[in-house]
Each structure stands twice: as structure tokens, then as C-alpha cells.
Amino acid sequence: MKYPIYKTSFRGNEQKYVNQCFKNNWISSSGPFIKKFENKFSKIYSSKFALSTSNGTTALELALMSLNLKPNDKVIVPNLTFAATINSIINVNLEPVLCDVGKDDYNIDTDTLSNKVDKKTKAILIVHLYGKPCKMEKILNFAKKNKLYTIEDCAEAIGSKTNNKLVGTYGDCSTFSFFGNKTLTTGEGGMIIFKNKKKYNLAKKLRDHGMSFKKKYWHEIVGKNYRMTDLQAAVGLAQLEKFKYIMRKKIEISKLYKTHLKSLKNKIEFVNDNENELNTFWLFNIIIKNRKKNYLIQSLKKKDIEARPFFYCLSSMPPYKKYAIKEYKNSKFYEKNGLCLPSYIDLNSKDIKFICNTITELLN
Ligand SMILES: Cc1ncc(COP(=O)(O)O)c(C=O)c1O
């Protein structure tokens, strides 16, 4: 495929740093790059407590475990997200409550939850889907009113902002993924940032088999091995050094798509751009109004362009059906009509023009 949805670009210090790991014989999880990567991440996110993990899913599990909830306590989660978000809740013995997304964008809308919060509901796990920031003010008010912890799943939204603040800096803890197709990658990898030192320390201990920080091989709690390796952190550090450049490229790409697809305004829609919001578009996406989504996917494929439908609603899939509490009209709308387009930073303006012209020809 000439234009896949995602392709990784390694043009910085990635190889140099990985070679240093081999040279110094630090390839496992206690080498110097781990701390350097966590520190640089902390700086960007103005957080004192950043914890690297083996992937974005283990980051979510540790974030949830750090809240010290009771088995079967409930966690609100959007019905439209990648399955890792809900799997992490179930895998730590909590119960998900599926919430519909909004009509005007594809992020969680707490208005649709009327009377669904009960005594067992303890947290809300939100997702900034495809890079689009959630309406944080509204979510934080809802969480405060209902005494809920807030976790932000920023796997798809590194660098996105709302009200001039990075998403991930609002919640009690926030998680990130550095999977190969993500805006910033370490191959596999994740990060959590915490507001609270106690929660950070608990997650840190859990990440390393529950081992005491002071007495090696003395285990204080039953833990996991969710550590990142120094090799991954070396790649991550090199990627973080290009943070501003990568964000600039992502924003450029979304602007080019919007310009070149303008003439299709009766046939497609873009997710809204609210004031004071910066969407870094992990995947640039369009909403197709005229039921031509499958035709478009197949036709683009013949032209060597990958287009990917939105995630399926969780409530539609067998493992999660039992958590459905209502009709999910808005999530179903986006499942049916949403389409993601190639979004990697090496796309140049000529590539995007070609992709947009092809879409325009096919839809006209
Ligand atoms: C919204 C969301 N949450 C969590 C994850 C899990 O991250 P990982 O694949 O690194 O485990 C992903 C992506 O893969 C994701 O898109």
C-alpha cells in the first residue's frame, strides 16, 4: 500500500540511542533511558509523576489499580473507543458502564447518563478519540458532582489541547500509548502521569511485582511486570525530542485535508473544531453522509490508499454487550459513517492533494 493509514518515521536520534543501549549493555528495564524518557515526558506535561509502562493497556490497568477501588466498582467509559479502554477495566475486576458519545462530536457525553450513576460508580475513564479533546470542563463538573475519579485515556491524543492546556493534565491520572501506529512511538510502550504521589508510588510498585522500593526481592503487594525496556525508552526519548515538530506536522496535515476536501461539503463532514481547542488528529477522519463509506474504502484501496472505518461500538460486540444500559444512537451513527484517512507525518502536500482529489472524484 503506497498510502497506509500509518507509517513510522525515525529521523532523529532513535538509532543512536538504541546503539548506546547495546554498547552499555542496558537493554532491560533498569537502564538510564527509562528515567530520561520519564523526565522529559514529565517536563512536557508539567507533571512531577510520570511512569513508563510496557504499553498503553498496562498503563490503563495500572492507572485504574492506583485508585484502590473495590472489586465490581463501576467505571464509566465511552461506547466508542478501542477495546483496550474497556478491557483494562474488566481485567482489573471493575465493571464498565457504557456511555454514549455526543451528537456533535464522537467523545463521551455525560448528559446521556441521566440517573445511571449509583453508589458503586467510582470513576470516569474518558477517551480523547482520534485526538479530539473531550469537553473537559463539563466532564470535571460531572465528576466532581458525582465524586468520581477522572482518568484520561490519551493514547490517541498526545499533544492535543483544550483551553490552552494539554489533555492529560486534567484528570487524576492520564495514560498514553506508544504503539507503532501512534503519533509518538516506542514500538510498544505506554506512560501514565499522576497528580498524586501516593497513587504514583502504588502504580510504580505494582509495575514491578509489588516489590519494596527499599528492600530488593521483598514483595509488599501482589504486583505485575508492566515495565518498559531501556531500548523502548531510548526510542521514546528520541521521539520526544521531536515533539514540537511532530505536532506541527500533524496539524499541517489536518489543515491540508480540510482545504482540499472543502468542495465536498455536501457529502462529508469534519468533526467540529471548538474554540480554544487543538486537535492533533492521530488519525484525520471524515463523516460520510451518503452511505458510500464501503464503496469509498474499496475504491481507495484500488488506488493504493488505505481508509479505515471508525471503531465498532463496544455495545455491538459479544464480550461487552452485557454492559450496555441503553440505546447508543450517537456512537452507532459514528460507527456507521466515520472514516479515517492516512495521517503519518511523512505525507507531503502533494500526497494529501492526491488522496483528496481521489476521494473527490469517487464521491462526485
Ligand atoms: C484509545 C486507546 N486506548 C488504549 C490503547 C492501548 O494502547 P496499546 O496498544 O499501547 O496497549 C489504544 C491503542 O492501541 C487506544 O487507541
Side-chain angles (χ1 to χ4, degrees):
M1 187 77 74
K2 185 165 180 205
Y3 296 110
I5 286 282
Y6 229 91
K7 225 188 311 191
T8 312
S9 159
F10 295 121
R11 297 236 186 81
N13 287 319
E14 285 88 350
Q15 285 199 17
K16 184 175 143 195
Y17 291 168
V18 168
N19 282 339
Q20 277 178 30
C21 292
F22 285 116
K23 229 165 115 186
N24 303 337
N25 218 352
W26 283 114
I27 56 165
S28 204
S29 55
S30 40
F33 279 108
I34 294 280
K35 250 314 137 264
K36 284 184 190 164
F37 182 40
E38 289 176 344
N39 287 345
K40 189 149 183 84
F41 202 89
S42 281
K43 220 167 173 186
I44 292 171
Y45 275 84
S46 312
S47 161
K48 277 192 250 161
F49 310 112
L51 191 71
S52 59
T53 59
S54 49
N55 58 57
T57 312
T58 52
L60 279 166
E61 287 188 22
L62 283 181
L64 286 161
M65 289 167 88
S66 78
L67 304 179
N68 246 333
L69 303 178
K70 295 199 181 72
N72 303 319
D73 275 348
K74 294 181 187 172
V75 180
I76 297 167
V77 64
N79 191 34
L80 195 68
T81 177
F82 180 57
T85 321
I86 190 168
N87 285 344
S88 65
I89 298 172
I90 299 166
N91 285 335
V92 300
N93 299 318
L94 297 169
E95 190 176 317
V97 178
L98 291 174
C99 178
D100 204 2
V101 298
K103 212 171 171 179
D104 60 335
D105 68 36
Y106 35 68
N107 282 336
I108 194 161
D109 182 3
T110 46
D111 283 352
T112 69
L113 274 184
S114 53
N115 306 325
K116 299 292 185 214
V117 178
D118 61 26
K119 274 200 295 203
K120 285 188 90 57
T121 316
K122 302 288 182 200
I124 178 164
L125 170 43
I126 61 161
V127 181
H128 306 285
L129 200 67
Y130 299 124
K132 164 89 181 157
C134 290
K135 297 185 183 87
M136 288 315 300
E137 208 175 306
K138 196 169 157 192
I139 288 166
L140 292 176
N141 282 338
F142 173 83
K144 194 169 171 197
K145 188 174 138 211
N146 293 289
K147 297 193 174 69
L148 306 176
Y149 289 114
T150 310
I151 304 177
E152 294 178 72
D153 180 345
C154 306
E156 303 178 1
I158 192 160
S160 288
K161 288 183 183 174
T162 178
N163 288 324
N164 269 326
K165 245 170 76 106
L166 284 163
V167 301
T169 58
Y170 287 90
D172 293 290
C173 35
S174 301
T175 66
F176 298 81
S177 162
F178 308 119
F179 181 61
N181 68 7
K182 292 297 185 295
T183 300
L184 245 91
T185 184
T186 59
E188 296 274 0
M191 187 76 78
I192 323 170
I193 52 176
F194 297 85
K195 287 230 158 73
N196 174 294
K197 190 175 179 183
K198 248 186 170 165
K199 289 186 178 54
Y200 162 77
N201 276 332
L202 175 56
K204 193 173 172 189
K205 197 168 284 177
L206 285 164
R207 182 184 67 169
D208 192 12
H209 299 289
M211 205 188 299
S212 160
F213 296 143
K214 290 189 187 130
K215 193 167 159 183
K216 216 127 172 73
Y217 300 107
W218 183 261
H219 298 265
E220 294 170 342
I221 45 175
V222 177
K224 310 270 188 184
N225 173 359
Y226 284 172
R227 297 180 308 250
M228 176 178 267
T229 67
D230 218 43
L231 288 167
Q232 291 165 292
V235 176
L237 181 68
Q239 292 262 299
L240 274 188
E241 288 171 351
K242 298 179 290 183
F243 186 82
K244 282 193 180 147
Y245 165 76
I246 293 173
M247 296 311 146
R248 208 169 52 239
K249 288 296 290 182
K250 295 293 281 182
I251 291 156
E252 238 173 71
I253 289 169
S254 64
K255 281 189 180 153
L256 283 167
Y257 267 125
K258 282 182 192 164
T259 306
H260 293 304
L261 290 173
K262 227 186 213 158
S263 67
L264 287 176
K265 70 171 183 288
N266 294 324
K267 301 195 164 112
I268 63 169
E269 273 176 16
F270 306 124
V271 67
N272 59 16
D273 254 334
N274 292 325
E275 238 179 87
N276 294 326
E277 197 178 275
L278 180 74
N279 183 348
T280 54
F281 281 101
W282 167 50
L283 298 183
F284 186 79
N285 52 74
I286 54 177
I287 315 298
I288 303 188
K289 295 186 210 161
N290 56 9
R291 301 179 178 211
K292 282 196 164 174
K293 191 177 85 174
N294 290 333
Y295 157 77
L296 192 59
I297 293 173
Q298 293 314 320
S299 312
L300 286 171
K301 197 172 167 192
K302 286 183 195 146
K303 307 259 179 186
D304 243 6
I305 301 167
E306 189 184 5
R308 188 184 292 173
F310 270 29
F311 295 122
Y312 294 109
C313 292
L314 296 173
S315 59
S316 313
M317 294 186 274
Y320 317 117
K321 269 186 180 163
K322 60 178 175 237
Y323 303 112
I325 51 172
K326 62 195 286 296
E327 274 300 301
Y328 294 95
K329 223 169 96 195
N330 298 335
S331 334
K332 290 226 162 97
F333 169 84
Y334 287 109
E335 173 194 84
K336 191 167 147 212
N337 300 301
L339 195 66
C340 301
L341 299 175
S343 302
Y344 51 94
I345 59 165
D346 284 346
L347 282 168
N348 61 33
S349 56
K350 230 168 101 191
D351 296 326
I352 297 178
K353 203 166 175 188
F354 171 74
I355 295 168
C356 293
N357 286 346
T358 311
I359 294 174
T360 308
E361 271 167 34
L362 289 166
L363 288 184
N364 277 332

